[in-house]
Amino acid sequence: MAASGGGLPFRQFVLKIHSRCDLACDHCYVYEHADQSWRRRPTVISTEAVAKAGQRIAEHARDHRLAEVRVILHGGEPLLAGAVLLASIARDLRRAIEPVCRLDLRIHTNGVQLDEELCELFLAERVLVGISLDGDRAANDLHRRYANGRSSYDQVLRAVALLRQERFRDIYAGLLATVDIRSDPVAVYRALADLEPPNLDFLLPHGTWDSPPPGAGEPGVTNYADWLMAVYGEWARDGRRVPIRMFESIIATSYGGVSATESLGLAPSDVAVIETDGTIEQADSIKVAYDGAPVTGLDIFRHPLDAAAAHPAIRARQRGIAGLSATCRECPVVTSCGGGLYAHRYRSDSGFANPSVYCGDLKKIITHVRAEEAARRRPGHTMPQDHFDALAAGYGDAASVSHLNAAQRSVRRALLRLVHDRASQDAGGTFAGGWNLLTRMDNSSPGVVDEVLAHPYVRAWAERCLRTPGAMGADAGHLASIAAAAAIRSGTLAELDVPVTDGYVHLPTLGRLRVGDTVTATLAARGEGDFEVRAASGKWHIEPGTREEANQDWQPVRELRARGFAVRLEDTDSYRDCHQWPVAGRLTADEAAGWQAQFEEAWRLIEQAYPRYAPGVAAGLTTLLPLANDVAGREISAAARQAFGAVAAALPASGADLALLIIHEFQHVKLGALTDMFDLCDREDQRLFFAPWREDPRPLGALLQGTYAHIAVTDYWRVRRDMQTGPDALASAELFARWRMMTAEAIETLAGSGALTPLGARFVEGMRATVEPWLGERVPDAAAAAAERWAAGRREAWQRQRES
Ligand code: SF4
């Protein structure tokens, strides 16, 4: 359900429980900036306000079907609320919210009051603890002092030492440091990294164009970028031993992922603040703009949270790129920057419609991290020029595709690490059990682990966790299913909890087991292919080679075989629905037999008639995914960038048609993997281009994909016409003439776009070298004329579309 008025739901709630602080940090946005509303609020939140907050959050989660919400207990200094009140707040919130969704409960503190008793309390109440600490003693003492000037450093270090103890390690959420450019960036980083925070966040000091932070806001001055670049360099040098949210967010958003911090990226804001008096406000950082800036005029006693979600000031922060200034909208790093933190854009004459006061710094640090990351990713996966050229020509043999396989292995493992970094505190025991088993088997059975991770829908799962808001909490537990599949394949003895989705335990690469209406099950791997599943609904024992005919609850993944080549016929995986068309359900035995017959015919044809494609396909295609097709006679097929190795199709009319679908879609698979390795187009170029085979204009990357795929389509009909006689040969000749014309035209559009990288230009040149000679091949006049008419019709449609 959408919020009334159309706002997006909140997923994070900052609950102010104490509005005073025992430190007097001079960079604090609560006390030291324009907004002074703290003076008018109650010091401590009332039990009525806590109860109402819990009720409102639960109501909001239920109305929006949220799987999880995060509540951060905040202040002032929240520990000043005292142990008794803290315990009752945690319990009241859990009692109200947990019947509706998962509650990720945290507290953010300056740490000076944190002692063993409070740690025990937070452990018992499952409250994760984040601490503010600005670096080494010198950096911390620049600001984080008591009112009498005394340093807080020793008390905070003592607090962090407590959290690092084995007993409290699980409640240690991380450290938050505010940057001061006068401090030594390397010393700050090392001091913080030595404290082994599960997450490290750097915060730029708050300021606006009216009141810029020290050393920012001047054209050409990039003190903060320079400081952060020094941290990045040290972080890279020491093997990135702690996750730094700012850098990881820049990297993630540069590769299509989502930012983990609201200060970067284009993701809509999902944070609401509830003050000690129950008023609902915007994110705290806006206090820096002007007195009263965060005010919404709403409070939890009189208004549901949906009213706040629909508030114009909150909706303004959910509009993605459309909500940014014109300068930001055209900025080459906008996907990573997102205009910076909302508060930092403020100027009294133009409100928030400006780039960040840190614009120059943000542009520089993002460009730097992107360049370093690109360089870091590529040396391990460079590709010899001849293999690159073979792929550019439209083909590529087993050796060329093996480079793509190797690069994809790194992509998958990097994604898995990212999921781990982001999920470990959110996803609970199922994820942790899967992670532990998988890392154990990575030593004992690395080949099998790789084989399971290479299943196309493992990456699709990881990307869903990282990119889909709210998916991490709901989906991360699938890692246990992945690990269980690897244990069963390798014969590793293991027992772990696995999720149940839509009534099935899913085991990627192996199949699915129907266990009925339950949420989790326990799986015991007993030996190779041998496992037992226990759930509230029953108990199952699957022995090696068990077939569906023998146990109808067990639906193993079938294999299609042809002349020594085998692929999986994947109709069970719970993450397979990531192609552009809906997937088919579990196939009947007869339907599977239909696929087997066509696959044999298709593969024989590919090997015999298309020998330049066959070795690459054999080296990279692992999976055929049946799609649903409710329109008889329509051919549908697809590949997905996040599902390397898979081709999806509805079963076409013949094996020859399936051969065409396979070589066509496998072009997308190859090029998707190649563009994971190399930038072929300028990713920031937003223009749309005419694609001769479509009526709608396409971005350059999509045009490149289509053109590359249509080389195979052209080649298919080129060869096919010589294998046929009579009207069939004429029809194939017309299709050859049609596709060579369109493919050649698209190659020229690409070459003239001005948006190819040098490597992209080389790639397009390779495509042109393949297609150009085909333009000279003779076809019957009737076929050429029909193709010309068809192409002219397309151009007219495009023209009409442009004019409208
Ligand atoms: S770098 Fe500057 S112009 Fe670019 S998006 Fe960020 S704030 Fe806007």
Side-chain angles (χ1 to χ4, degrees), residues 303-353:
H303 305 101
L305 288 161
D306 269 7
H311 190 280
I314 286 177
R315 291 182 64 184
R317 305 177 57 204
Q318 298 181 329
R319 295 178 56 221
I321 197 164
L324 301 183
S325 65
T327 312
C328 291
R329 287 202 299 272
E330 287 174 10
C331 172
V333 301
V334 67
T335 48
S336 291
C337 177
L341 195 70
Y342 192 69
H344 298 172
R345 303 175 204 163
Y346 184 75
R347 190 195 291 267
S348 45
D349 56 0
S350 47
F352 293 94

XYZ file of all heavy atoms in Angstrom, residues 303-353:
370
model
N -0.722 11.978 14.463
C -0.594 11.673 13.031
C 0.079 10.320 12.805
O 1.049 9.995 13.489
C 0.271 12.739 12.335
C -0.228 14.126 12.542
N 0.323 14.986 13.464
C -1.249 14.801 11.961
C -0.324 16.147 13.440
N -1.286 16.060 12.533
N -0.406 9.586 11.801
C 0.308 8.364 11.413
C 1.595 8.744 10.680
O 1.710 9.858 10.163
C -0.680 7.683 10.449
C -1.492 8.799 9.886
C -1.579 9.849 10.955
N 2.518 7.813 10.599
C 3.780 8.099 9.905
C 3.560 8.314 8.415
O 4.358 8.966 7.750
C 4.776 6.971 10.164
C 5.316 6.985 11.604
C 5.908 5.646 11.982
C 6.348 8.094 11.784
N 2.470 7.760 7.878
C 2.143 8.011 6.471
C 1.981 9.501 6.195
O 2.289 9.976 5.108
C 0.842 7.297 6.079
C 1.127 5.911 5.532
O 2.299 5.495 5.591
O 0.185 5.253 5.048
N 1.468 10.249 7.192
C 1.297 11.689 6.988
C 2.664 12.344 6.805
O 2.829 13.251 5.978
C 0.569 12.303 8.177
N 3.654 11.861 7.561
C 5.005 12.407 7.397
C 5.594 11.975 6.058
O 6.262 12.754 5.376
C 5.896 11.950 8.547
N 5.331 10.716 5.669
C 5.867 10.227 4.381
C 5.319 11.042 3.224
O 5.970 11.169 2.182
C 5.524 8.749 4.209
N 4.111 11.583 3.400
C 3.505 12.363 2.319
C 3.839 13.853 2.427
O 3.438 14.640 1.587
C 1.980 12.181 2.363
N 4.581 14.240 3.468
C 4.907 15.660 3.662
C 5.796 16.150 2.507
O 6.756 15.476 2.127
C 5.645 15.808 4.999
C 5.826 17.228 5.428
N 6.814 18.038 4.923
C 5.124 18.000 6.299
C 6.728 19.227 5.469
N 5.701 19.233 6.314
N 5.483 17.328 1.945
C 6.237 17.792 0.766
C 7.746 17.836 0.990
O 8.513 17.487 0.088
C 5.681 19.195 0.512
C 4.359 19.232 1.208
C 4.402 18.239 2.326
N 8.187 18.239 2.185
C 9.635 18.344 2.411
C 10.284 16.967 2.393
O 11.419 16.806 1.940
C 9.893 19.017 3.754
N 9.573 15.952 2.856
C 10.139 14.598 2.851
C 10.060 14.016 1.443
O 11.011 13.404 0.954
C 9.430 13.736 3.909
C 9.944 14.195 5.280
C 9.689 12.245 3.677
C 9.353 13.560 6.472
N 8.955 14.255 0.767
C 8.848 13.756 -0.622
C 9.899 14.400 -1.518
O 10.368 13.785 -2.471
C 7.443 13.993 -1.151
C 6.438 13.090 -0.433
C 5.053 13.257 -0.959
N 4.973 12.847 -2.343
C 3.875 12.963 -3.076
N 2.793 13.461 -2.546
N 3.848 12.566 -4.323
N 10.258 15.641 -1.220
C 11.275 16.316 -2.038
C 12.591 15.540 -2.018
O 13.396 15.632 -2.946
C 11.503 17.732 -1.515
N 12.801 14.749 -0.967
C 14.062 14.018 -0.847
C 13.945 12.587 -1.350
O 14.786 11.749 -1.105
C 14.514 14.028 0.616
C 14.597 15.455 1.130
C 14.958 15.486 2.566
N 16.199 14.790 2.767
C 16.558 14.250 3.918
N 15.775 14.324 4.948
N 17.698 13.626 4.017
N 12.832 12.317 -2.042
C 12.623 10.958 -2.551
C 12.504 10.960 -4.066
O 12.047 9.991 -4.652
C 11.340 10.383 -1.938
C 11.402 10.271 -0.427
C 10.162 9.678 0.180
O 9.078 9.848 -0.351
N 10.314 8.970 1.278
N 12.884 12.068 -4.696
C 12.636 12.187 -6.136
C 13.841 11.789 -6.974
O 13.856 11.990 -8.183
C 12.194 13.617 -6.466
C 10.842 13.956 -5.824
C 10.423 15.386 -6.103
N 10.382 15.631 -7.535
C 10.808 16.748 -8.123
N 11.328 17.698 -7.390
N 10.728 16.891 -9.419
N 14.870 11.235 -6.387
C 16.028 10.776 -7.139
C 16.630 11.929 -7.929
O 16.658 13.079 -7.477
N 17.053 11.644 -9.138
C 17.762 12.649 -9.938
C 16.851 13.823 -10.278
O 17.297 14.965 -10.402
C 18.366 11.980 -11.196
C 19.427 12.886 -11.799
C 17.313 11.641 -12.233
C 20.333 12.212 -12.785
N 15.540 13.568 -10.381
C 14.606 14.647 -10.735
C 14.540 15.707 -9.643
O 14.160 16.847 -9.899
C 13.219 14.071 -10.974
N 14.918 15.361 -8.429
C 14.838 16.310 -7.335
C 16.106 17.147 -7.165
O 16.203 17.925 -6.226
N 17.085 16.967 -8.066
C 18.365 17.668 -7.911
C 18.409 18.947 -8.736
O 17.595 19.152 -9.644
C 19.513 16.747 -8.350
C 19.651 15.426 -7.595
C 20.866 14.674 -8.090
C 19.756 15.680 -6.094
N 19.390 19.783 -8.444
C 19.597 21.006 -9.221
C 20.013 20.634 -10.647
O 20.493 19.525 -10.905
C 20.723 21.826 -8.582
O 21.945 21.106 -8.690
N 19.846 21.588 -11.587
C 20.215 21.320 -12.981
C 21.695 20.949 -13.077
O 22.079 20.055 -13.835
C 19.902 22.545 -13.834
N 22.526 21.600 -12.288
C 23.971 21.298 -12.327
C 24.213 19.840 -11.946
O 24.972 19.132 -12.604
C 24.734 22.207 -11.331
O 24.307 23.532 -11.534
C 26.221 22.094 -11.492
N 23.562 19.393 -10.888
C 23.757 18.005 -10.455
C 23.208 17.030 -11.492
O 23.823 15.995 -11.767
C 23.064 17.756 -9.119
S 23.833 18.617 -7.738
N 22.065 17.374 -12.074
C 21.451 16.427 -13.029
C 22.385 16.146 -14.197
O 22.359 15.086 -14.777
C 20.111 16.977 -13.532
C 19.007 16.916 -12.492
C 17.630 16.949 -13.128
N 17.391 18.145 -13.884
C 16.889 19.286 -13.372
N 16.582 19.336 -12.100
N 16.698 20.340 -14.131
N 23.228 17.104 -14.526
C 24.127 16.905 -15.665
C 25.525 16.492 -15.240
O 26.423 16.380 -16.078
C 24.192 18.198 -16.486
C 22.896 18.381 -17.238
C 22.803 19.699 -17.960
O 23.818 20.396 -18.027
O 21.704 19.993 -18.428
N 25.706 16.241 -13.985
C 27.049 15.966 -13.477
C 27.458 14.518 -13.796
O 26.651 13.599 -13.658
C 27.054 16.179 -11.963
S 28.569 15.660 -11.185
N 28.701 14.293 -14.213
C 29.116 12.926 -14.565
C 29.164 11.951 -13.394
O 29.194 10.752 -13.614
C 30.513 13.116 -15.178
C 30.961 14.460 -14.732
C 29.739 15.286 -14.497
N 29.167 12.459 -12.161
C 29.233 11.512 -11.033
C 27.931 11.494 -10.238
O 27.900 11.006 -9.098
C 30.434 11.812 -10.103
C 31.742 11.740 -10.872
C 30.305 13.170 -9.413
N 26.856 11.984 -10.844
C 25.623 12.149 -10.067
C 25.090 10.816 -9.521
O 24.515 10.773 -8.442
C 24.540 12.886 -10.892
C 24.068 12.050 -12.065
C 23.362 13.282 -10.012
N 25.307 9.712 -10.232
C 24.758 8.448 -9.744
C 25.407 8.032 -8.418
O 24.781 7.381 -7.592
C 24.952 7.312 -10.768
O 26.299 7.340 -11.208
C 24.012 7.460 -11.946
N 26.653 8.432 -8.227
C 27.306 8.119 -6.943
C 27.101 9.220 -5.918
O 26.983 8.952 -4.729
C 28.812 7.913 -7.145
O 29.050 6.737 -7.858
N 27.079 10.463 -6.376
C 27.013 11.596 -5.439
C 25.587 11.880 -4.991
O 25.326 12.047 -3.805
C 27.620 12.826 -6.098
S 27.502 14.287 -5.057
N 24.686 11.959 -5.989
C 23.297 12.276 -5.659
C 23.138 13.675 -5.076
O 22.172 13.954 -4.376
N 24.100 14.567 -5.372
C 23.995 15.935 -4.839
C 24.474 16.052 -3.403
O 24.330 17.095 -2.784
N 25.045 14.965 -2.870
C 25.538 15.003 -1.498
C 24.401 15.032 -0.487
O 23.217 14.906 -0.841
N 24.743 15.203 0.771
C 23.727 15.238 1.829
C 22.793 16.432 1.604
O 23.243 17.539 1.306
C 24.419 15.342 3.189
C 23.535 15.023 4.380
C 23.203 13.529 4.414
C 24.240 15.413 5.680
N 21.510 16.197 1.773
C 20.500 17.216 1.478
C 20.820 18.539 2.186
O 20.765 19.617 1.598
C 19.144 16.671 1.924
C 17.943 17.449 1.441
C 17.595 17.450 0.090
C 17.159 18.158 2.332
C 16.481 18.151 -0.361
C 16.046 18.854 1.892
C 15.707 18.853 0.554
O 14.615 19.543 0.118
N 21.159 18.449 3.463
C 21.393 19.660 4.261
C 22.514 20.505 3.672
O 22.481 21.737 3.732
C 21.750 19.269 5.694
N 23.506 19.862 3.082
C 24.680 20.595 2.597
C 24.395 21.377 1.318
O 25.264 22.081 0.827
C 25.836 19.610 2.355
C 26.272 18.902 3.601
N 27.180 17.864 3.591
C 25.930 19.073 4.899
C 27.368 17.424 4.825
N 26.607 18.141 5.638
N 23.178 21.253 0.769
C 22.850 21.986 -0.463
C 22.232 23.356 -0.154
O 21.977 24.135 -1.048
C 21.834 21.188 -1.295
C 22.294 19.810 -1.656
C 21.170 19.047 -2.364
N 21.358 17.612 -2.210
C 20.416 16.716 -2.424
N 19.225 17.084 -2.833
N 20.665 15.427 -2.249
N 21.968 23.628 1.106
C 21.121 24.783 1.445
C 21.822 26.126 1.227
O 22.992 26.313 1.538
C 20.674 24.669 2.912
C 19.737 25.775 3.289
C 18.413 25.762 2.858
C 20.187 26.859 4.039
C 17.552 26.803 3.187
C 19.333 27.898 4.369
C 18.013 27.862 3.935
O 17.172 28.885 4.244
N 21.045 27.055 0.647
C 21.466 28.448 0.511
C 20.205 29.283 0.749
O 19.148 28.949 0.204
C 22.006 28.674 -0.902
C 22.699 30.007 -1.121
C 22.868 30.265 -2.619
N 23.810 29.387 -3.273
C 25.115 29.664 -3.444
N 25.617 30.788 -3.018
N 25.889 28.802 -4.061
N 20.270 30.346 1.543
C 19.015 30.996 1.947
C 18.232 31.558 0.772
O 17.007 31.630 0.833
C 19.269 32.065 3.004
O 20.367 32.841 2.653
N 18.899 31.938 -0.330
C 18.134 32.522 -1.437
C 17.540 31.471 -2.371
O 16.603 31.753 -3.108
C 19.002 33.501 -2.243
C 20.270 32.847 -2.762
O 20.469 31.633 -2.497
O 21.063 33.524 -3.417
N 18.035 30.249 -2.354
C 17.512 29.259 -3.312
C 17.157 27.931 -2.647
O 16.914 26.940 -3.324
C 18.546 29.019 -4.418
O 19.818 28.824 -3.843
N 17.120 27.906 -1.326
C 16.711 26.676 -0.630
C 17.696 25.546 -0.887
O 18.915 25.736 -0.796
N 17.148 24.367 -1.218
C 17.988 23.165 -1.355
C 18.290 22.826 -2.822
O 18.865 21.789 -3.102
C 17.293 21.984 -0.672
C 17.203 22.144 0.824
C 16.077 22.700 1.416
C 18.263 21.776 1.639
C 15.991 22.869 2.790
C 18.185 21.937 3.020
C 17.056 22.481 3.603
N 17.873 23.719 -3.761
C 18.065 23.415 -5.184
C 19.457 23.829 -5.653
O 19.624 24.627 -6.573
C 16.989 24.132 -6.007
